[in-house]
Structure formats: C-alpha cells, structure tokens
C-alpha cells in the first residue's frame, strides 16, 4: 500500500530493487527513481516505530529538505520527493530516538 503525504510517501515492506542502490551506512539503503523525482529509503535494522526526522544536505552542508514523520511498525520503506533538487551529491540523515543514520546519494538530472 502507498500513502502519499505532500513531499513524501510511506510504503509497506515491499521495495522495487530495479533501481540503482547508493552506498551508505548499514542502516539505510537509498536509491533514486529512474525519473529522478523520488528518493527511496529502505530503513535498516535500527529503525523504530515512532517519530523520525529526515533531512537532506548537500556536499557543502546546506540544508535542502526536512520532514518529521511518524513511522509505523510496517513502514520500513519511505519515499521522499526530491524533484526540487538539482544535480549534486547529497546526504540523507535520519534521526530517531537519539541515533542518526546517514546515507549518501548522487543526483544527476
């Protein structure tokens, strides 16, 4: 099931692995959709149901996106709208319960 909320969408545990994965820490798996409008975030083993802060910064540390989401137990796959971002190297930070997971992705428009 897919639920859209403005700039993001929450999806159940199924993921489309046809897209390219980007190297990141062990807690996140990131990939950009083929149309370059969506960042798929597969949460790793260290995610918990509850509030999580998602932020995207560029390589210079400029903040481009912040969203606080309430994640349910079955929502380990999250989709963020990145259509406003230009080509660059970005970092996604997920802050939850005092822990941070960081993933890197490259957007080539």
């Amino acid at each position: 099931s897919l639920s859209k909320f403005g700039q993001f969408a929450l999806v159940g545990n199924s993921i489309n692995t046809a897209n390219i994965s980007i190297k990141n820490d062990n807690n996140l798996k990131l990939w950009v959709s083929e149309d370059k409008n969506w960042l798929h975030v597969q949460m790793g083993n260290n995610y918990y149901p509850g509030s999580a802060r998602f932020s995207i910064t560029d390589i210079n540390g400029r903040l481009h996106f912040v969203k606080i989401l309430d994640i349910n137990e079955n929502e380990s796959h999250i989709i963020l709208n990145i259509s406003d971002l230009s080509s660059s190297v970005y970092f996604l930070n997920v802050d939850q319960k005092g822990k941070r997971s960081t993933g890197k992705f490259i957007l080539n428009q």
Side-chain angles (χ1 to χ4, degrees):
S1 67
L2 176 66
S3 305
K4 292 191 176 183
F5 301 95
Q7 292 189 7
F8 64 93
L10 300 176
V11 178
N13 288 327
S14 64
I15 62 171
N16 176 0
T17 57
N19 297 308
I20 298 171
S21 294
I22 305 300
K23 184 179 179 187
N24 53 71
D25 73 17
N26 292 331
N27 295 323
L28 296 175
K29 184 176 183 182
L30 307 178
W31 64 98
V32 176
S33 64
E34 289 182 27
D35 64 7
K36 314 283 194 214
N37 290 323
W38 304 97
L39 177 65
H40 292 259
V41 182
Q42 179 67 45
M43 304 293 281
N45 297 331
N46 293 337
Y47 90 95
Y48 307 95
S51 181
R53 180 180 185 265
F54 292 80
S55 60
I56 296 175
T57 56
D58 63 24
I59 198 161
N60 296 312
R62 287 186 297 255
L63 185 64
H64 291 270
F65 177 96
V66 175
K67 195 72 171 178
I68 296 174
L69 306 177
D70 285 323
I71 300 174
N72 293 321
E73 191 171 331
N74 295 324
E75 293 173 330
S76 63
H77 181 196
I78 296 165
I79 302 172
L80 303 173
N81 183 341
I82 58 169
S83 60
D84 291 338
L85 298 180
S86 58
S87 295
S88 187
V89 176
Y90 294 97
F91 298 93
L92 172 71
N93 294 306
V94 180
D95 297 299
Q96 189 179 39
K97 303 217 185 257
K99 295 183 180 181
R100 172 173 277 189
S101 296
T102 301
K104 175 182 169 184
F105 67 98
I106 300 169
L107 185 59
N108 293 314
Q109 294 287 22

